[in-house]
Amino acid sequence: FVAEADQSVIGTVTTCVFGCVGWIGMLLVNESRRGRGIGRRLMERAMCFLRSAGATRMRLDATEAGHPLHEKMGFRTHYKVVRFAGKPLVPDSLQAKVLPRAFRAADLPGLLSLDRTYTFVNRARLLARLVEESGIATRVVGEPNNLKGYLVERAGSQALQVGPAIAGSNRVGRALLVESFQRHMGQPVYVDIPADHHEAVDIARRVGLVPQREFSRMCLGQPCHERIDGLWAGSGPEKG
């Protein structure tokens, strides 16, 4: 949804519907128009749409600037997400012990099942679209009937977005991140990692990435209680 004034777009907000969970992203208001209630009106419109689509819970990744508005509207912080940025350089001491491979169409059912096991959210429509779009690379570990992990890479205007990434063990999660960073050494990347996922944070730091900004993952209604140990990278604040 957009807010307009003088025939120009002055604000935006996006939504994703994951079954009973609604995701809100990209809440942006032109700097010269802030402080006039435009952000609140965009949020209210997005929330109204999500409720009409059957969402009983809502979630978002809030910036420091947006946090007060979301809190006033009833959202509560569940955990922190840190965006790491930089040009990875993988040291010899950090080598993948499992070799990820390219995604195949037969992997999709296993990928969707694995994702839901750790997120407790039905992201099937989003993930099915991501893995099919051009300019997006998906890497997996395991066989179609026994998928152990996956990682999606998306090209952006400024950097490669690494994530989402889900893995059922440290061995697999480390392999997915390290192999991705190896293939993109010296190139600018972003990766959003739950602050409490110490293994993933450690890998990001060891390849030379640094924290760029922090988000608060906020919930309205009952939190989903994802299994943080399986969340090796997020999908960005626009997709969750």
Side-chain angles (χ1 to χ4, degrees):
F1 300 98
V2 300
E4 294 181 322
D6 303 323
Q7 298 183 326
S8 298
V9 173
I10 60 171
T12 66
V13 69
T14 64
T15 61
C16 295
V17 181
F18 302 135
C20 66
V21 178
W23 183 268
I24 299 173
M26 301 301 291
L27 179 64
L28 303 169
V29 177
N30 187 290
E31 190 171 2
S32 66
R33 303 278 185 163
R34 292 174 188 169
R36 305 183 189 183
I38 297 169
R40 174 179 283 273
R41 291 177 65 186
L42 284 165
M43 280 289 294
E44 289 170 346
R45 183 66 185 89
M47 293 166 68
C48 179
F49 168 77
L50 288 170
R51 289 192 181 102
S52 71
T56 57
R57 294 176 283 175
M58 297 181 199
R59 316 185 75 201
L60 52 83
D61 280 349
T63 62
E64 183 178 356
H67 190 276
L69 168 64
H70 303 314
E71 199 164 49
K72 287 178 183 177
M73 300 187 76
F75 286 80
R76 295 294 178 262
T77 298
H78 189 195
Y79 58 87
K80 299 288 187 179
V81 176
V82 180
R83 167 160 291 182
F84 285 86
K87 298 179 179 179
L89 180 61
V90 180
D92 291 339
S93 60
L94 190 63
Q95 297 298 321
K97 296 182 179 180
V98 178
L99 186 61
R101 61 172 174 81
F103 170 86
R104 300 190 295 258
D107 297 317
L108 183 59
L111 186 153
L112 300 180
S113 176
L114 181 70
D115 187 82
R116 193 160 189 173
T117 296
Y118 286 91
T119 65
F120 299 102
V121 174
N122 182 6
R123 303 198 295 178
R125 289 176 62 196
L126 170 67
L127 294 172
R129 181 165 180 172
L130 280 179
V131 300
E132 292 176 356
E133 286 190 356
S134 61
I136 294 179
T138 304
R139 306 290 286 177
V140 299
V141 172
E143 295 306 316
N145 61 349
N146 189 25
L147 210 65
K148 303 292 187 181
Y150 79 86
L151 179 146
V152 177
E153 302 167 345
R154 296 177 285 136
S157 60
Q158 297 181 336
L160 182 83
Q161 177 83 43
V162 177
I166 300 287
S169 69
N170 284 351
R171 181 168 173 263
V172 171
R174 289 170 66 90
L176 286 165
L177 284 184
V178 170
E179 193 258 355
S180 177
F181 294 146
Q182 284 177 325
R183 286 185 292 104
H184 299 286
M185 281 202 296
Q187 302 176 36
V189 304
Y190 293 145
V191 58
D192 296 339
I193 301 173
D196 291 336
H197 196 310
H198 303 300
E199 282 283 336
V201 167
D202 178 65
I203 292 171
R205 292 186 183 278
R206 289 178 66 183
V207 301
L209 304 185
V210 297
Q212 184 195 64
R213 65 193 305 185
E214 185 177 81
F215 300 99
S216 297
R217 179 148 298 186
M218 303 185 78
C219 306
L220 179 66
Q222 184 180 0
C224 292
H225 295 296
E226 303 107 315
R227 291 178 56 183
I228 298 294
D229 61 309
L231 304 184
W232 288 77
S235 308
E238 74 279 12
K239 295 182 176 68

